[in-house]
Amino acid sequence: MTVLFENNQWRVTETRLQTAPGTMQYEIDAHRLLETTPRGAKTYYFWPVHMAEKLWVDYSDFQNAFIKAIDLLNGKYEGKLDSEMLEESLALGRGLKNR
């Protein structure tokens, strides 16, 4: 397994975004990165919103790793990134985390 990016809590490998060794174990396979979720009348990317609700997640580290994963794993997930939806999803996640 080759690590393409790593910060304090997360790493990107050639197949997934996962937590770094020594932290809570969590993996998101590359093909799932652009999954969406409805919230009210809008649709957001699932993972930034979902991970913001986890108490153990350092959201800044997750946000940076998620953005890197989308870039580095391009072609391993279906669909095309919607940059506006990404920004809105990350903003919602930050808001949820700061509550």
Side-chain angles (χ1 to χ4, degrees):
M1 167 186 57
T2 302
V3 176
L4 306 174
F5 170 82
E6 188 170 14
N7 61 28
N8 290 331
Q9 194 174 44
W10 294 90
R11 62 170 40 172
V12 178
T13 69
E14 60 274 320
T15 59
R16 66 184 43 96
L17 172 59
Q18 65 187 59
T19 48
T23 63
M24 174 82 86
Q25 291 187 318
Y26 206 94
E27 296 180 348
I28 303 167
D29 290 332
H31 73 275
R32 298 187 65 199
L33 287 172
L34 296 187
E35 290 179 347
T36 60
T37 184
R39 294 281 174 129
K42 295 193 81 165
T43 299
Y44 298 93
Y45 285 118
F46 175 76
W47 295 107
V49 176
H50 179 71
M51 298 311 287
E53 297 171 329
K54 305 279 184 205
L55 296 177
W56 57 269
V57 170
D58 178 315
Y59 197 74
S60 179
D61 278 357
F62 174 79
Q63 176 178 279
N64 292 335
F66 185 74
I67 291 167
K68 276 295 206 186
I70 288 172
D71 180 45
L72 294 170
L73 301 177
N74 188 12
K76 295 189 178 187
Y77 51 81
E78 290 187 24
K80 186 175 186 308
L81 177 68
D82 180 325
S83 296
E84 184 177 329
M85 186 189 307
L86 176 60
E87 288 303 317
E88 291 174 351
S89 302
L90 294 170
L92 176 60
R94 286 189 300 271
L96 292 169
K97 197 64 174 176
N98 291 330
R99 279 201 269 178

